[in-house]
Amino acid sequence: MYASRLQETLPRTRESIVEAAIRGGRDPAEVTLLAVSKGHPIEAARAAVAAGLTDLGENRVSELEWKSEEMKGEPVRWHMVGQLQSRKAPRLVGVSHLIHSVDRESVARRLGRAAEDAGVSVSALIQVNTSGEEAKGGVAWEGAAEEVMRLSETPGLEVQGLMTMAPYVAEEPVLRMTFRRLRELLHEVRAAGGAVGPQLSMGMSNDLGVAVEEGSTMVRVGTALFGPRPERDT
């Protein structure tokens, strides 16, 4: 099922990225397509790899752990895209290629400490709440530059860039403002000498075009590739 679906959805998604990049005067090769298989069976992840995708995302630590174990040896870079609890953070060390959702000091410190104990470093993005929605996770927009600078100094943590989530709305000006804020924040932090990389993880199935136009280097796409997530048993 997933293999046949991806034959249709993957070319369409890639075309959307290319078209948006061209509109934004960018090289489409600058944008990584992250296939978010969260909530789908492992067959979806395997079909994605068979279709040539190498970056897969999950939003639950336990799901990322078991899928990565089941697919050990496959050419996959696993990304943690969901909200992260401090107590579960150490479990991602050595498992996740990139953690997109570091949003507070407790998570950063637990990750950094676990990484140092393992003799490695952890690659992460700092999530910023650029929309100001109370229900959204992320560093608060007010004072975000100072907080990003502070979190980026956490020992054991290598901050590769920033991440945000836009409101689930159709109004393009709202989406554009949300993404533009993150791009400008990243420029501000890097210009000030912050130890933050150039990655901008922003844009999902419904808004990836605007996100790419505004500078996204990584779009997190689930539904547009795999379809709606199956309902979980209760």
Side-chain angles (χ1 to χ4, degrees), residues 128-223:
V128 182
N129 186 349
T130 54
S131 69
E133 294 177 282
E134 291 185 5
K136 286 280 195 303
V139 170
W141 176 243
E142 185 176 351
E146 293 78 6
E147 184 66 4
V148 167
M149 295 279 279
R150 190 170 68 86
L151 292 177
S152 70
E153 296 173 354
T154 304
L157 205 65
E158 290 190 4
V159 177
Q160 304 294 336
L162 306 177
M163 184 271 260
T164 198
M165 297 178 66
Y168 196 78
V169 298
E171 289 84 355
E172 184 176 311
V174 175
L175 300 175
R176 199 170 293 281
M177 178 273 293
T178 303
F179 299 137
R180 184 176 296 152
R181 275 184 164 184
L182 195 72
R183 171 169 51 82
E184 292 174 349
L185 174 63
L186 181 64
H187 177 77
E188 176 185 349
V189 170
R190 285 169 59 84
V196 180
Q199 299 300 323
L200 285 170
S201 172
M202 54 190 198
M204 299 190 292
S205 294
N206 63 304
D207 54 23
L208 69 85
V210 177
V212 171
E213 288 176 20
E214 290 296 332
S216 175
T217 64
M218 193 174 299
V219 290
R220 310 179 303 272
V221 182
T223 303

Side-chain angles (χ1 to χ4, degrees), residues 22-149:
I22 292 172
R23 288 195 302 269
R26 304 178 58 206
D27 180 355
E30 297 174 355
V31 185
T32 297
L33 173 56
L34 170 57
V36 180
S37 55
K38 67 178 184 181
H40 289 276
I42 198 165
E43 288 76 18
R46 289 190 168 125
V49 173
L53 293 166
T54 56
D55 291 270
L56 301 182
E58 295 293 334
N59 74 333
R60 296 173 183 267
V61 174
S62 58
E63 195 166 356
L64 189 151
E65 286 178 315
W66 79 261
K67 283 183 179 177
S68 64
E69 181 62 28
E70 287 292 317
M71 295 178 66
K72 186 176 291 184
E74 298 272 4
V76 179
R77 292 187 292 252
W78 292 97
H79 298 245
M80 176 64 184
V81 299
Q83 190 171 30
L84 188 57
Q85 297 175 342
S86 298
R87 63 184 176 85
K88 293 184 179 181
R91 290 160 53 183
L92 293 171
V93 175
V95 180
S96 180
H97 168 73
L98 183 63
I99 301 168
H100 291 231
S101 48
V102 173
D103 61 356
R104 58 195 185 278
E105 185 176 6
S106 60
V107 171
R109 287 189 177 278
R110 287 293 294 272
L111 275 173
R113 192 178 306 124
E116 289 192 309
D117 289 345
V120 298
S121 61
V122 171
S123 293
L125 305 176
I126 295 176
Q127 182 177 354
V128 182
N129 186 349
T130 54
S131 69
E133 294 177 282
E134 291 185 5
K136 286 280 195 303
V139 170
W141 176 243
E142 185 176 351
E146 293 78 6
E147 184 66 4
V148 167
M149 295 279 279

